[in-house]
Structures are given as C-alpha cells and as structure tokens.
Amino acid sequence: MSVPPRGAAPHQWRGVVEEYRERLPVSDATPVISLGEGGTPLVRSDPLSVETGCDVWLKYDGANPTGSFKDRGMTLAISKAVEERAKAVVCASTGNTSASAAAYAARAGLTCAVLVPKGKVALGKMAATLVHGARMLEVDGNFDASLNVARDLADRFRVTLVNSVNPFRLEGQKTAAFEICDALGRAPDIHCVPVGNAGNISSHWMGYSEYLIDSVIPEPPQLFGFQAAGAAPIVKGEPIADPQTIATAIRIGNPASWEKAVAAASASEGAIGSVTDRQILAAYRRLAREGLFVEPASAASVAGMLQLHADGRLPAGRTVVCVLTGHGLKDTEWAIAGAAPPVTVPADADTVAAELGL
Ligand code: F0G
C-alpha cells in the first residue's frame, strides 16, 4: 500500500485486521475490536550490522498499544469472540497476554479473567492488566499449570480461551511477517524471535508461508527461535517441570505450540536454540544503548543472533530481522539494577554543571 504524500489525503494505520483484512478470517459480520495495533517500526541497527557484517533490522513490536506483539493476535481473538457472542474471556499469562486481553476485552465490553503464576509477573504487566478491570487470579504454580487451568475452565464453562491455542491469535500474529516483507520489499534471509509458549514463531512462519504461496516473496527466511537456557524444553527435547530465567515472559516449561515451532524451524532450515540469562541481559543493555527499551525476554532474539554469529552460523551479507517482542517499561527491574543510581543535586545550574563535568 502506498502512502499518499503529506497533505494529499489523511492516512492513519488502521490496525492489523483492516490492513490485512483479505488475509484474515473475518467477514462483514465481524465487529472489529482494534486499538490500532501493528504497523510497528522496523529499525535498522547500524552497530549490530557492523558487528555481524549483515544488514540487521529490529522489528519493534513493543510499540504495540499494550506494549507487546500480543495485540496483533488479541484484536482478532476478541473480535471473533464478540462475533460468536461470548460474554467472557480467559487466559493464562506471564503478563503480556493478560495485559493485552484485558485491554481488548475492556474495549469490547467483555468480562476478562487472567491466571498468572504467583510472584512471577513483572509489576508493569500486573498494572496494565488490572487497570482495565480484569479479574487477576494468581495461581500457586508456574505458567504451564496456569494454562492447564485456563484450558480446563474454557472446556467446561462458558468462557472463551484467548491464549495462542486459540487459532485466531496466531492468525493475527502472522501479520508481523507481512509487515516485515512489506517494509523490506522482500523477506529477510534470517528471522530471529524469542520462544516461550511457541505461538509467535509458529505464526510468523504462517505469515511467510502465505506470502510465499501467493508469490509475494520468492523465498522465505530461515527461522531461528531462542528459548532461555533455564527454560528450554524444545532444545532439551522434554518438558521442564521447573523452568527458571530472569526473562519471566518466556519462563515456560511445556510450550503449547511445541510441534508447530519445531515444524517452522525445520521447514525453513532454521533451528530452535537457547541463550543464557547473561547473554539475554547483555543484548538487553546493548539494545537500550541504541535507544530501544525492550523487556529481557525480547532481547533473546538479538542474543540468539549474536550467538549464531559467534558460532560462525551467520554468513556475512545476509539480511536479518530480530523481533523485539515487548516494551521495556513493563518490566523495569533489570533496567534499574543495571544502571548508575541518580545523584541528588541542589536546584542550582553551576552545581549541576560541575556534577556533569561541563
Ligand atoms: N516475548 C514476550 C515479551 C512475551 O511476552 C512472550 C510470551 C514471548 C516473547 C514468547 O512468545 O509464547 O508466542 O513463544 N508471553 C506469553 C504471555 C507467554 O503470557 O504473555 P510465545
């Protein structure tokens, strides 16, 4: 779609359902519940490009309305729930899905209940969920246990599940792949993304595959997904009962879309790998120094790309996209812990100048 010149005609990004309507399972009967999600920046990283010898782009999905990529899927899941006359929605979450579900449910006038692992959700995500009026229940267990409860609830009671096992979530999230191809005028050679419950990588593959089948792109990228080393069931080949990582968003031991993610990685000749918390935090700080404030889990894509480079598995000259899945403001613990504390000064410019060495 071409953007008219400034002043020629009003234009505003309309959200992923309207922008990609013909590629999504909606009809005239679908009430579109949108917050204008998608259309997020694809930012070139000069430092990462220089370091790797590649052309590295960052898809900043933390710029979505509730601060994560979940909004791409939630707009569709909630629109379809309203179309199907649902009254209430439920999800399990490490925090971003719940913030997104709460916001879109509020907009649609639906009741929203969220199940989160007790004590393992970042404060900003709790706030973003509660402010929209969702009922938050803290489960005495991890994300995997919370998801089991949410699924059971949706099976047995009149409430719609809006986790990524809801097929409309993945349909909506595939739009990230469309946007990347539309912006670059081609698919990247390599696409890196964090993996938690494994829905997002699966949805991106759906998007690239669809563009490939319709000859919008001649080649799909290789997909590389990265789990946190202490929560890497796909890499280990078995569920992990007690996953551990500082990247709480992807602290998941038994991903719901496990098979789909493995299929995406192998069909694209990519892989699912893992990165340590140390690598994640190093990438997190590097991104911040480039002006991109992400949450720790989101930095796993860049940490993973740097690991591919270190392992000699990232040939120079390739076009690489790393997806930055969530905004840093929702999880500030590591931002503050890693920075110099502020200094108190009197309200006097000369003292401030001296303090700053001006
Ligand atoms: N990055 C962020 C910021 C996330 O919040 C998540 C998942 C992922 C990556 C991984 O995506 O699960 O599709 O593989 N967060 C979920 C939640 C689990 O409840 O918010 P995935």
Side-chain angles (χ1 to χ4, degrees):
M1 200 182 69
S2 68
V3 177
R6 246 173 232 257
H11 177 78
Q12 180 173 303
W13 178 266
R14 296 165 298 169
V16 298
V17 174
E18 293 304 351
E19 294 290 336
Y20 293 104
R21 176 172 272 275
E22 72 284 4
R23 296 191 175 277
L24 293 170
V26 289
S27 71
D28 291 346
T30 314
V32 180
I33 310 297
S34 172
L35 290 164
E37 59 295 313
T40 55
L42 185 67
V43 186
R44 189 170 188 278
S45 171
D46 292 341
L48 288 169
S49 297
V50 168
E51 178 165 341
T52 58
C54 290
D55 192 20
V56 179
W57 295 83
L58 305 169
K59 180 64 171 164
Y60 192 35
D61 251 4
N64 273 297
T66 79
S68 84
F69 70 92
K70 307 286 179 179
D71 297 343
R72 295 179 179 278
M74 206 55 76
T75 179
L76 195 63
I78 297 290
S79 296
K80 296 302 281 189
V82 174
E83 183 179 348
E84 288 156 12
R85 310 220 181 286
K87 294 278 175 281
V89 295
V90 66
C91 67
S93 183
T94 54
N96 280 322
T97 299
S98 59
S100 186
Y104 284 81
R107 195 158 176 82
L110 297 178
T111 298
C112 178
V114 309
L115 301 166
V116 299
K118 187 172 170 58
K120 296 294 181 189
V121 173
L123 194 60
K125 298 179 186 179
M126 298 262 281
T129 303
L130 294 171
V131 76
H132 298 300
R135 276 294 306 278
M136 181 181 276
L137 304 172
E138 294 192 303
V139 175
D140 205 2
N142 60 24
F143 169 83
D144 305 287
S146 308
L147 182 57
N148 286 341
V149 176
R151 291 177 109 148
D152 196 13
L153 211 63
D155 278 349
R156 294 170 42 213
F157 300 89
R158 279 181 51 85
V159 53
T160 302
L161 186 65
V162 293
N163 278 103
S164 55
V165 290
N166 176 326
F168 298 123
R169 280 278 313 280
L170 297 195
E171 287 286 338
Q173 286 171 211
K174 75 185 180 186
T175 59
F178 297 161
E179 286 179 22
I180 289 166
C181 297
D182 294 349
L184 293 175
R186 52 165 289 189
D189 300 306
I190 290 166
H191 175 103
C192 298
V193 62
V195 171
N197 211 20
N200 212 26
I201 188 171
S202 308
S203 71
H204 292 169
W205 182 239
M206 282 165 58
Y208 286 121
S209 301
E210 207 173 302
Y211 262 20
L212 183 68
I213 288 165
D214 293 345
S215 303
V216 182
I217 52 171
E219 294 281 346
Q222 291 176 276
L223 261 59
F224 288 89
F226 296 98
Q227 304 188 298
I234 301 179
V235 177
K236 294 235 158 63
E238 58 185 15
I240 293 181
D242 186 20
Q244 295 297 346
T245 169
I246 55 108
T248 52
I250 53 172
R251 187 173 167 273
I252 294 175
N254 192 10
S257 297
W258 184 317
E259 285 83 17
K260 284 197 184 90
V262 169
S266 79
S268 71
E269 295 172 19
I272 309 284
S274 66
V275 283
T276 63
D277 282 0
R278 191 180 289 266
Q279 287 175 293
I280 288 173
L281 282 177
Y284 168 82
R285 298 209 170 98
R286 275 191 74 139
L287 287 165
R289 291 301 171 112
E290 276 196 54
L292 291 152
F293 190 16
V294 301
E295 64 171 278
S298 304
S301 56
V302 171
M305 177 198 65
L306 290 170
Q307 184 173 287
L308 289 179
H309 174 63
D311 292 347
R313 293 168 67 201
L314 189 67
R318 298 290 196 273
T319 297
V320 182
V321 169
C322 295
V323 183
L324 306 178
T325 46
H327 201 289
L329 278 173
K330 283 206 276 190
D331 185 355
T332 54
E333 186 184 344
W334 293 95
I336 294 170
V343 175
T344 303
V345 289
D348 165 58
D350 289 322
T351 321
V352 173
E355 176 64 36
L356 294 174
L358 299 176

